[in-house]
Amino acid sequence: MLHGQKIVVVMPAYHAEKTLAECHAAIPLDIVDEVLLVDDASDDATVAVAQRLGIRTHRHAVNRGYGGNQKTCYALALGADADIVVMLHPDYQYEPRLITAMAAMIASGVYDVVFGSRILGNTAIAGGMPRYKYLFNRLLTAFENLLIGSKLSEFHSGYRAFSRKVLETLPLASNSDDFVFDNQMLVQAHAFGARIGEMSCPTKYFADASEINFRRSVVYGLGVLRVAMTYRLWKWRLLKSQLFSAAPADRLTAMKPDAP
């Protein structure tokens, strides 16, 4: 806990058997109250490794996609009475030891959303990010900042922390089940007035780390452009969109985690 607030780490997992143990070992369990893993119908030993490590695990019977996995992660975290939720990929690309700092930025009451930026600190290329992905990141981020009116260093990091209020308020149920979920969530946080903070986060690209291919990257990029344009039209009141709905039906419903 930090400042009396329960901290839950959620791990959206798919084929993470080779990296999960090392990633989990780096989590600061002195302040993290619970770790929840959602396996997206992996056909490897991810679930077995998680159970051996004592991680509370939920398994999808069928693959629901990266966004669908996160929806379950956040619903379970809400059901576990989390006050602060940190989403950490189990492929060990992001540095788990930064969880303490990220959670503290929310526990202090200064921010509602915090993400680890690969761009701040200029570590992305040094960490092995493919140059075409770095270029796409910079171009897409510049476009989104222009349309959305923000000044974030990037919109595409998968390392994030949220207050409970944010997860209960955003219309996450209306988001995609694919990779663009991450982008939709951050734009929604901006649209709903959440206070967004960033911190520099080194990342590692290696053989066992999860990575989408060039074709999926292009699909993701087109989705990002669509989200930004949808936001701008919604902001101008020229378009109604469920992505920015305040209706309770578009929010996640808390789920009780499976028994350990």
Side-chain angles (χ1 to χ4, degrees):
M1 284 195 174
L2 284 174
H3 300 297
Q5 298 184 56
K6 182 176 182 179
I7 299 171
V8 173
V9 170
V10 295
M11 305 178 84
Y14 183 66
H15 291 165
E17 66 172 356
K18 295 181 180 179
T19 55
L20 176 57
E22 189 176 8
C23 183
H24 180 262
I27 293 174
L29 296 176
D30 56 327
I31 64 103
V32 171
D33 297 282
E34 190 164 359
V35 179
L36 300 173
L37 181 142
V38 177
D39 178 73
D40 204 21
S42 300
D43 56 7
D44 66 355
T46 296
V47 171
V49 173
Q51 292 174 339
R52 175 171 58 81
L53 294 170
I55 301 173
R56 185 172 289 192
T57 304
H58 179 95
R59 186 177 189 275
H60 288 161
V62 296
N63 187 279
R64 291 183 51 188
Y66 174 61
N69 192 323
Q70 280 194 70
K71 290 175 186 178
T72 301
C73 282
Y74 299 135
L76 290 171
L78 292 174
D81 300 319
D83 296 303
I84 298 171
V85 179
V86 182
M87 193 262 284
L88 173 68
H89 291 179
D91 62 359
Y92 207 26
Q93 256 191 320
Y94 296 99
E95 178 52 73
R97 290 175 295 178
L98 292 177
I99 288 172
T100 301
M102 294 172 70
M105 291 171 72
I106 295 177
S108 67
V110 176
Y111 294 106
D112 306 303
V113 177
V114 174
F115 68 89
S117 170
R118 298 163 296 180
I119 304 305
L120 292 176
N122 199 30
T123 60
I125 297 295
M129 178 186 282
R131 291 187 180 275
Y132 81 87
K133 288 194 174 185
Y134 180 83
L135 179 61
F136 278 178
N137 185 308
R138 307 314 302 130
L139 292 175
L140 289 172
T141 294
F143 181 81
E144 286 191 276
N145 277 328
L146 180 64
L147 260 65
I148 294 169
S150 56
K151 293 184 179 180
L152 300 179
S153 67
E154 71 162 315
F155 283 81
H156 317 293
S157 168
Y159 194 14
R160 300 157 179 229
F162 304 95
S163 69
R164 182 181 186 89
K165 181 180 178 182
V166 166
L167 296 179
E168 290 179 327
T169 303
L170 298 185
L172 300 179
S174 65
N175 287 3
S176 168
D177 285 342
D178 208 342
F179 288 100
V180 77
F181 176 96
D182 268 354
N183 192 257
Q184 291 171 329
M185 190 175 188
L186 200 52
V187 175
Q188 286 169 330
H190 175 83
F192 278 68
R195 297 165 299 172
I196 302 173
E198 306 178 68
M199 67 179 300
S200 177
C201 175
T203 54
K204 298 172 287 187
Y205 288 77
F206 53 96
D208 291 327
S210 61
E211 187 176 350
I212 61 175
N213 59 31
F214 180 80
R215 185 185 67 82
R216 295 296 297 277
S217 295
V218 171
V219 172
Y220 169 79
L222 293 174
V224 166
L225 297 177
R226 188 178 303 113
V227 171
M229 290 186 287
T230 299
Y231 170 86
R232 178 44 52 194
L233 293 173
W234 170 80
K235 192 70 175 176
W236 284 338
R237 299 186 180 183
L238 297 176
L239 178 72
K240 290 185 177 181
S241 173
Q242 276 188 283
L243 285 180
F244 308 110
S245 167
D250 293 314
R251 301 171 191 162
L252 294 179
T253 301
M255 297 170 53
K256 284 297 181 183
D258 300 338

